[in-house]
Amino acid sequence: TAPPPASSYAHCPGLDHFFADLRVPCRYAEYGCESFVPYFRSDEHRDACGHAPCHCPEPGCYLICSPTALAAHLAGEHSWPVDEIAYGTPRMLAVPVPPPPAPAPAPARHVRLLRGDDASVFAVAAGPLGGGAAVSVVLVRADSPAHPRLACTFCAKPPPESAAAGLEEGSCCFFATMPVRSSALADGDGVALEKELYFAVPGEMLCEGSRELLVSVRIDRSCGPEPASEDYKMVAQN
């Protein structure tokens, strides 16, 4: 038989075997990933890789590193508090809420980290909202549809002196469940409350004097991939 024209496609089984066995380093090797993945699955691994770089959100700091390294940096260099949290288990936090600032370029905020039992890192931001407070949570990780869907349930507790105001001490007055999105924290994203879905409580829920908010945080895994960013905008608008 005559050979196929030069412009036609000729299947080469040998190349199939070659590329099937070919393994390449993760493109995030410089950020600590030591995986060598099949060539055909390199994009799939990239979308799920936990070493995808994130940014230090502190003004004037330009560090870019993996989420795990960033958590150590924020705790060590910028004194962010770190609390451990187990999925599906409420974690009580006493979150100081800064007072509303005088006119200033940047709003006041308190930031801290939560470390999950799978070493995932979450950033918690709290700030004034009118006379009360707002709290948000994001997963510190580059945004990717491969990430598991997470939800956070907030439950605010009245302060100890609330009994004088006619509230039952220890009762739950405000709670909400909302999706947890991923953020690489670039340009302050993820810790700027005005850009996030947030849990809002009135000023009566803050401890007098210290302005601490006693809030329980529970993070749950749920089925399916993380929603697209447009879905979060729809939730925020509703």
Side-chain angles (χ1 to χ4, degrees), residues 59 98-111 125-129 188 191-195:
R109 70 183 185 194
H110 167 80
V111 285
L129 181 67
V191 294
L193 286 165
E194 65 274 12
K195 299 180 181 179

Side-chain angles (χ1 to χ4, degrees), residues 3 26 40 42 45 55-56 88 92 116-117 124 137 151 171 214 223 230 235:
C26 173
F40 285 120
S42 59
H45 172 81
H55 302 249
C56 179
M92 182 60 69
D117 49 20
V124 180
V137 174
S171 65
L214 304 178
C223 298
E230 291 76 10
V235 172

